[in-house]
């Protein structure tokens, strides 16, 4: 069992040790927590490639010592995208978003050019650095460039998921996806744990992004190459789509729970689902596992019905006390039966960083499903996300696909305050698991007083659909039987990837205490 890491000056917690060390190096050089977080995030694109890449999106929460800031660095659909195009290539519903959207007769395609939206991560790195960074932007790319060009030794969890993606890629017949194998399976297979992997094309792209403060990605050489490749292979992404991209600084949304305040990024992310579940539980005199699951179901039902790009559809106030009281009354003694769905697993990385001056960062980035769209830009060695698969094809749904619109996002960074003071950043990656992971980590911290590592190590539950709940093998069998007696259909899962991967850092009088996900290869690196 991993032990919590105590750090007197700073700490970086990620799901892959090389990325944690890259961030730690920035702290040792006098960089800020944002410098450390960006360096770790950039490095993760190389050492955990199935979960994130240069062509993905990013969200972040930053405590600067006085104020909490939110950054939405997610991209928008190409201007040429149409609902008709997505509907014409639609597939049977995958239930990616569960709830009401899972009842749609068809879902957007998940691979190829159609689900590709403008990547927001490179702009997000630059925007974070411009506001809070201390070191030269290009310096933050040094470790990632080194691993891309000189190689890195593949870690076990990454190797296992990489192999699963190779199998998924073999089933595709999209011409635009063929270059993926040249980069990520050059020998016809995924690299095994302990093998060296190089991606010199990504090294080239990283040098261009770092040297241009991301301008090359949106208006320079990389943008031109992306637009040309899309035009040659049937994609909708254009130079204008890339040049018009901007991140958005946002006001975090919040709710209180037992003397603590939990903050999340507002829509188009699903953080409000976790907040609503916590607010529902806060209004109960006491609660157990049954009530936690039922509150989470209600949070998902509303999030999947109302979360969309706020520029297109302002979300109703799902945290209004009167509305919460009405929703809370729906939590009964028996398992409820929410709208059906079949939530899929995501491809995401979450990291947290803190420095000696008290700055703390909660950052998450993703290409969505494993390796995203499987579209890779030749000679530049990076893949593009498939976030367009998160759109609805229902014309009446707030999240219906439209040009220039941001889709529903699963990835959510979290931040916890105690008695009005910042405690620290936290997150649990993993598609539909993310709000559930946030809920369970906060409850373990607030109700049970666990340190970050203990909270992350605790066995998790995962609500799947309807009355179906999965639990990890170590889950208390007494609790399992109690759930079954109340109508929950509980199964003990054998695949731990369902339960997500997280990191957390809490501020303490002597510095920080941190934990890193035991279900991953990660590390909390202290300074």
């Amino acid at each position: 069992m991993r032990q919590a890491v105590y750090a007197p000056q700073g700490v970086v917690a990620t799901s892959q040790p090389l990325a944690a060390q890259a961030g730690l190096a920035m702290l040792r050089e006098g960089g800020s927590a944002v410098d450390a977080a960006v360096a770790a995030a950039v490095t993760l694109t190389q050492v955990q490639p199935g979960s994130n890449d240069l062509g993905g999106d990013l969200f972040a929460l930053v405590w600067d010592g006085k104020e909490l800031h939110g950054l939405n660095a997610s991209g928008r659909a190409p201007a040429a995208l149409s609902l008709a195009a997505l509907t014409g290539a639609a597939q049977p519903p995958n239930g990616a978003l569960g709830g009401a959207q899972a009842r749609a007769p068809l879902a957007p395609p998940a691979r190829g050019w159609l689900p590709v939206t403008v990547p927001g991560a490179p702009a997000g790195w630059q925007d974070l650095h411009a506001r809070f960074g201390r070191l030269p932007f290009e310096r933050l790319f040094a470790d990632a460039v080194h691993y891309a060009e000189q190689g890195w030794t593949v870690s076990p969890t990454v190797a296992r998921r990489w192999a699963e993606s190779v199998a998924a890629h073999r089933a595709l017949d999209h011409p635009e996806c063929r270059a993926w194998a040249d980069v990520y399976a050059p020998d016809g297979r995924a690299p095994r744990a302990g093998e060296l992997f190089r991606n010199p094309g990504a090294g080239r792209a990283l040098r261009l992004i770092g040297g241009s403060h991301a301008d090359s990605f949106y208006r320079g050489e990389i943008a031109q190459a992306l637009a040309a490749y899309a035009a040659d292979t049937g994609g909708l992404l254009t130079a204008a789509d890339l040049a018009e991209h901007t991140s958005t600084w946002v006001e975090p949304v919040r709710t209180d729970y037992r003397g603590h305040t939990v903050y999340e990024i507002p829509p188009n992310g699903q953080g409000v689902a976790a907040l609503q579940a916590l607010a529902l539980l806060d209004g109960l005199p006491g609660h157990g596992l049954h009530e936690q699951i039922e509150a989470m179901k209600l949070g998902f039902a509303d999030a999947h019905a109302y979360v969309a790009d706020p520029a297109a559809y302002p979300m109703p106030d799902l945290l209004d006390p009167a509305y919460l009281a009405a929703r809370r009354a729906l939590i009964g003694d028996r398992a409820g039966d929410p709208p059906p769905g079949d939530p899929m697993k995501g491809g995401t990385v979450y990291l947290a960083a803190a420095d000696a001056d008290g700055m703390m960062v909660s950052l998450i980035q993703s290409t969505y499903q494993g390796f995203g769209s499987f579209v890779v830009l030749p000679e530049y060695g990076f893949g593009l996300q498939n976030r367009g698969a998160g759109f609805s094809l229902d014309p009446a749904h707030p999240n219906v696909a439209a040009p220039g619109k941001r889709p529903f996002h699963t990835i959510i960074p979290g931040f916890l305050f105690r008695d009005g003071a910042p405690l620290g950043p936290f997150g649990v990656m993993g598609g539909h698991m993310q709000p559930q992971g946030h809920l369970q980590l906060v409850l373990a911290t607030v109700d049970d007083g666990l340190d970050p590592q203990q909270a992350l190590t605790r066995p998790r539950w995962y609500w799947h659909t309807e009355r179906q709940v999965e639990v990890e093998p170590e889950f208390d069998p007494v609790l399992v039987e109690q759930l079954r007696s109340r109508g929950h259909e509980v199964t003990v899962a054998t695949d731990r990837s369902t339960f997500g991967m997280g990191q957390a850092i809490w501020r303490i009088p002597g510095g920080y205490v941190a934990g890193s996900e035991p279900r991953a290869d990660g590390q909390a690196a202290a300074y």
Side-chain angles (χ1 to χ4, degrees), residues 294-327:
E294 294 304 296
M296 193 70 258
K297 291 178 186 178
L298 292 168
F300 271 127
D302 279 349
H304 297 154
Y306 298 113
V307 169
D309 185 343
Y313 178 83
M315 189 185 70
D317 186 2
L318 302 180
L319 301 174
D320 175 75
Y323 179 71
L324 287 171
R327 298 292 280 171

Side-chain angles (χ1 to χ4, degrees), residues 34-56:
V34 161
D35 289 324
V38 171
V42 174
T43 303
L44 280 167
T45 66
Q46 301 309 300
V47 301
Q48 200 170 341
S51 299
N52 70 137
D53 210 329
L54 304 180

Side-chain angles (χ1 to χ4, degrees), residues 331-352:
I331 300 176
D333 293 332
R334 301 286 298 174
D337 191 5
D342 183 20
M344 69 174 63
K345 302 169 188 173
T348 305
V349 293
Y350 172 80
L351 64 94

Side-chain angles (χ1 to χ4, degrees), residues 393-483:
L393 300 182
D394 180 357
H397 197 284
N399 185 43
V400 64
K405 188 176 180 180
R406 284 169 159 155
F408 178 106
H409 257 273
T410 56
I411 59 175
I412 50 173
F415 210 101
L416 185 63
F417 278 55
R418 176 186 290 158
D419 297 326
L423 186 58
F426 72 94
V428 178
M429 64 194 88
H432 190 67
M433 179 65 202
Q434 293 187 52
Q436 305 184 60
H438 281 215
L439 174 68
Q440 292 174 64
L441 193 149
V442 170
L443 295 178
T445 300
V446 177
D447 291 346
D448 301 322
L450 301 187
D451 68 39
Q453 191 60 62
Q454 292 169 332
L456 289 165
T457 301
R458 170 176 279 185
R460 294 181 186 143
W461 54 265
Y462 170 76
W463 171 68
H464 182 59
T465 182
E466 298 178 341
R467 295 186 176 92
Q468 299 172 25
V469 178
E470 296 181 8
V471 299
E472 293 192 280
E474 298 83 4
F475 211 86
D476 186 345
V478 174
L479 293 177
V480 170
E481 290 308 313
Q482 289 176 356
L483 288 177

